[in-house]
Structure formats: C-alpha cells, structure tokens
Amino acid sequence: MKQIRTQDAVGHVLCHDVTQIIKGEVKDALFRKGHIIVESDVPALLYIGKDHVYVWEENENILHENDAAEILSKLCINENMHASEPKEGKIDLMADKDGLLIVDDKLLNEVNSFGELIISTRASGSYVKKGEKLCGTRIIPLVIDKSKIKQVCRITNGKPLLKLLPIKKKKYGIITTGNELFYARKKDTFTPVVCEKLNEYGCEMVTHVTLEDSHEHITTAIRGILDSGAELVLCTGGMSVDPDDNTPLAIKNAADRVVSYGAPMLPGSMFMLAYMKDGRAICGLPGCVMYSKNTIFDIVLPHLLADIPVTEQWLASLGNGGLCLECEHCHFPNCTFWKGMSF
C-alpha cells in the first residue's frame, strides 16, 4: 500500500476501513476497504481528520488486515460456531448454541507470541449462550507479510484453537438429608435453589427424596436414583465435619471413584465430587450453595453437563481466583471469581 494526500486519492482503491467516531452516536466505518474514492468523498475524509489515506499497491508477498484476520479466524473455528464479516480488520467467532468454551492455551500463546497478530478469547471453561462472542482475531498493522501467517498456520497444523462443547439437558435426582427436614421440623429451602440452577440449563429433576442422617439410607438412595436412569445425583445437607454429617461417607460408599472431598474455593470448600464407572457424577453440595449467589457448584456444573471429566488437579487449580468477594451487586461471571483454566 502507499500513502497519498486525500485530495489526490480520487479514483484510488482504499486498502483499509476508515472509521468515523461521533461520541454517543456512532463508531463505524465511513468507508470500507475496497471503496473507490470519488470527488464527493474528499470533504468527508478531511472532516474526520484524514489528510492522507492508504491505497493499494499490488504486492504478492503481503496480506491486508481483513484477509489476515480471516485466516486467523479459521485457525480457531470449530463445530458449533461461525465467523462474523470482517469489520475494521477484525473478525469475531460467535456461538451457534449454548455450550462450554474450551481454549487450547498452549497453541494460543504460541500464536500470540509471533507479534503483529492477535487472537483474543473468552476464558477457557466459560459457559456461553447462543449468539455470544467467543473470540476476536486481527493483525496489528494494516498489512502483514504472508510468510508470518504461513508460520502460524504450520504451528497449529490444522488443529482448531477452540472447542464449544454442547451443554446436555441431563436428568438428575436430589437427596435432601437432615433429621430436621425428614421429621418436618423446618422447611427445605435448599432444594428450590438447586432446581433453579439446573433449570437454567434445561435439566429435568426425576427424583427427590428426603432422608434422615443415616449413611446407609443415603447410600441406598444414591444407588436407587442411578438405577432409575438419572444422569446426575446431587446430595444436599450433611456435608460438614460434624459427627452426624454422614453424606460424604454415603457418597464414598455408593461411588466407584471419589475425585475430591474439599476444594480451594470460598464459598464451596466442603464440596465433594465422585463418579460411577459409566461417568455419571455424584455431588455433595455444601450449605453455602443454598445462601450464596455463586459458589464452586456454579463453576463445576457446566463442566458436568458438558461431560468434561473434572479431575483432582483441575479442582486444585481453582484456588487461583477461588475467593468470591460476595459483592453487594453481583457481576458473576464478569468478575474476579474464577478465571478459566485449560483442560
């Protein structure tokens, strides 16, 4: 490309978008890349401060910003997402359905280390809804050497940097424990909270039982709910270390494998997770899930519904960002409470 005086640009082809910004009114391209400048365009360009513009000079060794952004977007795109049209040298990827975003951060870091180009994503592990933005791609200058883009393509070797895993509308069962509830001494305020969280994902509760503090009865109930076809079992109550809190022992006896009892997140440190051999999960939910707006359960649940195996190592990594500040006006997930980690 070459720079020329705007008054001399009539008849030339713009090689970049020219953006107009009017505070509170508009921020958009006044003229798009490829526009052929005519005499009446000159005053408009001068009005927004463009005394010079860049026009195309043919060079087979360079890529324009829009063409480069398109190649970068193709390095990221995968199933369940689509690319936007180029705008001011940037292309976004958008979600085609609700899902859990997974980012290959090793590859992403390698690409972004090249300089002159960027791929910016939402945090890996974020739950996104249909139509929401997943990432943006662009180069920093208006043009870039083709050889640099080819190097980046060789690094990724056809492996997409992003995955959007669909959320499954699972059938679940809830086991409410506690003598005070079993004998109707007080009202169950825990189950409605859990159901509300699952309803947001379109899940269906198939069984709900209330039991006394007996680990034998809780173990039997867990197995019964699984035998009835539930894909997820949630146990509420009895998750602390008091002598009459028997839920952890019941989960241990019913499951094939315990991942963890305890996790480095506040609220939610007494969370328990176990699995059956077929991959169905059993969760012990601490009392904070009932009264805190966001806890570890809100972080783990989308992963369970997307069938991503939750490991002890991943749970351990949640300590970095695992402290909820319990702000008066909650902005979760757009806050410091947990920033995504890779898998």
Side-chain angles (χ1 to χ4, degrees), residues 149-211:
I149 296 295
K150 288 179 180 178
Q151 283 180 283
V152 171
C153 292
R154 282 195 292 269
I155 285 176
T156 59
N157 196 28
K159 181 183 179 182
L161 273 65
L162 305 185
K163 292 180 183 178
L164 185 61
L165 304 178
I167 295 293
K168 299 180 180 179
K169 300 177 180 180
K170 294 190 175 184
K171 296 180 179 180
Y172 66 96
I174 295 180
I175 299 175
T176 301
T177 64
N179 290 341
E180 73 279 14
L181 299 172
F182 182 73
Y183 294 108
R185 297 170 188 158
K186 63 184 295 188
K187 184 180 179 181
D188 176 15
T189 55
F190 205 150
T191 300
V193 172
V194 176
C195 289
E196 183 179 357
K197 292 180 182 293
L198 272 293
N199 288 344
E200 291 180 9
Y201 296 98
C203 297
E204 176 189 357
M205 183 171 71
V206 293
T207 306
H208 176 220
V209 296
T210 302
L211 300 173

Side-chain angles (χ1 to χ4, degrees), residues 19 25 46 50 55 71 74 88 124 134 148 179 183 193 198 204 207 212 248 259 266 281 300-301 306 339:
T19 303
E25 294 184 27
L46 293 173
K50 296 297 182 183
V55 295
I71 293 174
K74 288 179 179 177
E88 299 178 327
S124 185
L134 304 176
K148 178 164 278 193
N179 290 341
Y183 294 108
V193 172
L198 272 293
E204 176 189 357
T207 306
E212 72 274 34
V259 175
L266 293 170
V300 172
L301 180 58
K339 296 301 181 184

Side-chain angles (χ1 to χ4, degrees), residues 60-334:
E60 63 180 14
N61 296 317
I62 64 170
L63 279 174
H64 183 270
E65 58 179 355
N66 284 354
D67 300 319
E70 184 174 358
I71 293 174
L72 293 176
S73 70
K74 288 179 179 177
L75 299 182
C76 300
I77 199 164
N78 210 328
E79 293 181 308
N80 307 317
M81 59 186 78
H82 70 275
S84 68
E85 291 296 320
K87 184 176 181 181
E88 299 178 327
K90 182 167 74 77
I91 292 178
D92 298 323
L93 294 187
M94 318 297 290
D96 288 336
K97 58 175 61 178
D98 296 356
L100 194 72
L101 177 66
I102 302 298
V103 180
D104 188 327
D105 68 335
K106 184 171 183 278
L107 276 181
L108 179 66
N109 291 343
E110 286 191 59
V111 170
N112 284 329
S113 295
F114 265 77
E116 294 192 310
L117 54 87
I118 63 163
I119 297 173
S120 181
T121 75
R122 294 178 68 154
S124 185
S126 296
Y127 170 62
V128 297
K129 294 186 177 181
K130 180 179 178 180
E132 291 185 345
K133 190 183 299 186
L134 304 176
C135 81
T137 65
R138 73 174 308 152
I139 61 171
I140 304 303
L142 289 172
V143 295
I144 192 170
D145 195 301
K146 283 184 179 179
S147 63
K148 178 164 278 193
I149 296 295
K150 288 179 180 178
Q151 283 180 283
V152 171
C153 292
R154 282 195 292 269
I155 285 176
T156 59
N157 196 28
K159 181 183 179 182
L161 273 65
L162 305 185
K163 292 180 183 178
L164 185 61
L165 304 178
I167 295 293
K168 299 180 180 179
K169 300 177 180 180
K170 294 190 175 184
K171 296 180 179 180
Y172 66 96
I174 295 180
I175 299 175
T176 301
T177 64
N179 290 341
E180 73 279 14
L181 299 172
F182 182 73
Y183 294 108
R185 297 170 188 158
K186 63 184 295 188
K187 184 180 179 181
D188 176 15
T189 55
F190 205 150
T191 300
V193 172
V194 176
C195 289
E196 183 179 357
K197 292 180 182 293
L198 272 293
N199 288 344
E200 291 180 9
Y201 296 98
C203 297
E204 176 189 357
M205 183 171 71
V206 293
T207 306
H208 176 220
V209 296
T210 302
L211 300 173
E212 72 274 34
D213 292 310
S214 163
H215 70 84
E216 294 93 347
H217 291 173
I218 299 170
T219 296
T220 300
I222 293 172
R223 290 171 176 164
I225 290 174
L226 291 169
D227 289 343
S228 71
E231 300 162 275
L232 176 66
V233 178
L234 305 170
C235 300
T236 69
M239 286 301 302
S240 73
V241 293
D242 294 340
D244 58 349
D245 285 330
N246 294 309
T247 305
L249 176 60
I251 293 174
K252 178 182 176 183
N253 291 339
D256 292 314
R257 178 174 60 91
V258 173
V259 175
S260 180
Y261 176 30
M265 297 197 88
L266 293 170
S269 58
M270 304 303 289
F271 174 78
M272 185 172 185
L273 175 65
Y275 280 103
M276 304 303 293
K277 289 179 181 177
D278 59 11
R280 290 184 290 176
I282 307 166
C283 297
L285 305 184
C288 61
V289 175
M290 174 173 54
Y291 55 80
S292 293
K293 185 171 178 59
N294 296 294
T295 69
I296 188 174
F297 185 52
D298 299 279
I299 305 301
V300 172
L301 180 58
H303 297 76
L304 298 177
L305 299 181
D307 283 336
I308 296 179
V310 174
T311 65
E312 186 176 2
Q313 293 76 18
W314 182 74
L315 286 173
S317 74
L318 299 182
N320 183 0
L323 178 64
C324 177
L325 299 181
E326 302 189 59
C327 305
E328 182 179 356
H329 301 290
C330 180
H331 300 288
F332 179 83
N334 301 315

Side-chain angles (χ1 to χ4, degrees), residues 7-22:
Q7 293 91 333
D8 300 330
V10 176
H12 287 276
V13 179
L14 275 175
C15 64
H16 61 101
D17 292 348
V18 176
T19 303
Q20 179 183 36
I21 301 175
I22 301 175

